[in-house]
Amino acid sequence: MGVMGYELVARALQQQGVDTFFFIMGAPMSSAEKAAIDRGIRGIDVRHEQAAAMMAHAYSRIRNRPGVCMACSGPGTLNFGTGLATALMDCVPVVALGGASPIGEYGRGAFQEFDQLAAMRPLVKWADRIYEARRIPELVNLAFRQALSGKPGPVYLDCPSDVLYAEVDEAEVVWPVVPPEGHRTRPCGDAALVEKAVQLLSGAQRPVVISGSGVLWSDASQALTRWIDHAGLPLYTTPQGRGVVPEDHPDMFPNARSTALREADVVLVVGTRLNYVFGHGQAPRFARDARLIRIDIDPLEIAATPQVEIGIVGDARAVLEQLTAAAGEQVSAGKYRAWRDRLAAIEVDKAAKFEAQIATDQVPIHPLRLCKEIRDFLPRDAILAVDGQEILNFGRQSIPTYVAGHRLNSGTFGTMGVGLPFGLGAKAAKPLSLVLVLHGDGSFGMNGMELDTAVRHKLPVIVVISLNGGWTADPERIKPGRDLGYTRFHDFAESLGCVGEYVERPEDIRPALERAAAAVAAGRTALVNVRTDADARAQTVRFTRSMT
């Protein structure tokens, strides 16, 4: 019996356990998209393919499984670009399927003929093309394996139209074996190196732990919490890895971050790169004589840090469990009490001053007051996506996260426009969770039409915009292109069927948020447009000298 290639795509996705994908209709992928929907896979059609990749990204982070997006040939597939590059920088397993012009017409100027494979390769971890319809399930399986193997990342599969619309004998189809437990592996670290790490930590006076998204992908939140509880080591996370341990944990001192990193004598780095976010692990962010231990599933990441003294290749959860088992009394909370007390004193002092600062009643509203109101309003298990320039920095320093994976932002690539797509991808992944997107007005404009996607697909979220009239704080008005005006985004939202609110005074923020939450509970997306101080410049620690 014959089967069409596009039907094999749908069946292959179903075999991989896919339940949702994000797309815009268009040839030659439409039949594959319809076949997937007919098989019970939810298709969420968006307003821009960039947003489809970003929604798949957020869905992946929330569900800890690959997110899937599809696009038509040519410009549709190319529109994936920024979203896939963002996923690459953030190590997120997004599986992108792009339609392509027919193989049989390559080199003859077919409709939308373009070397998409060459264009995608720098943007993803792995890219390939399907040449035979009978191998579609095999190549889809390989795409998922590549996305999840080792350090996760996005992948791209090129789907030429004459392959999708080829009919093949079912007996010839190559069906792979998909393990019931999925494609992930969980390698342990070298036991001898784990013991050396314990010995190094046991002699430390001022140790700290730094963790990142690798803890999320290895589902190591509980293992990290057990390790921190046992060892009593101060913990700091990357912006993307927040929530792996609740941020009110007694061993977290966010306001003492600079002191902790600068004075630490031993630094244990778990599942994150030592890139610009942590000053590449070098002075002045760290002490020149600080001794580094790295745990990473990718040996190339460890090799990229020449000052690492002990590099343990392995899964974050497995190695953390090894460390906890091996530590005993050599590394335990009582050993570092004086160090924690020093950081705790700094935390208490700075936290009190910060609380007084963010309670400001100034008009125009200071962005920190907006962040305070959001912080005090959100339930502990809310999902927060933050996107913008100043508001991203203000949000980072003022709004905590308590649940692993529930914090999303523009990541190491600094991509603007991710906020609303991330929020909708998160809502699709966890429909019962409250999702709030905190946007700058500039970044909202990039994918603001996705409010229409929220309405059509019943993905109610709260969108809060810090309306400072432009891209960044610029009191001297010297930056070209800074000004955008004070757009009535709340009216725009209402025109698409959302609830719109406009706020100019700080005491009105909380009531507007409450009304927005009531709208979401009733199934409607709500946008709260808050006019904020255009001159307010975030004074957080600079991750990089390159600033907008």
Side-chain angles (χ1 to χ4, degrees), residues 235-246:
L235 172 67
Y236 294 91
T237 73
T238 63
Q240 290 289 68
R242 295 179 67 171
V244 288
V245 172

Side-chain angles (χ1 to χ4, degrees), residues 283-295:
R285 290 296 297 280
F286 292 80
R288 293 189 183 279
D289 58 352
R291 304 174 75 179
L292 267 60
I293 305 166
R294 284 200 66 178
I295 299 168

Side-chain angles (χ1 to χ4, degrees), residues 181-196:
E181 65 277 9
H183 298 307
R184 282 192 176 96
T185 56
R186 198 174 292 284
C188 292
D190 184 315
L193 292 177
V194 170
E195 185 56 40
K196 285 184 66 176

Side-chain angles (χ1 to χ4, degrees), residues 404-427:
H406 280 209
R407 184 65 165 257
L408 305 163
N409 63 45
S410 52
T412 55
F413 205 37
T415 309
M416 286 197 177
V418 298
L420 185 53
F422 275 5
L424 298 185
K427 189 67 175 181

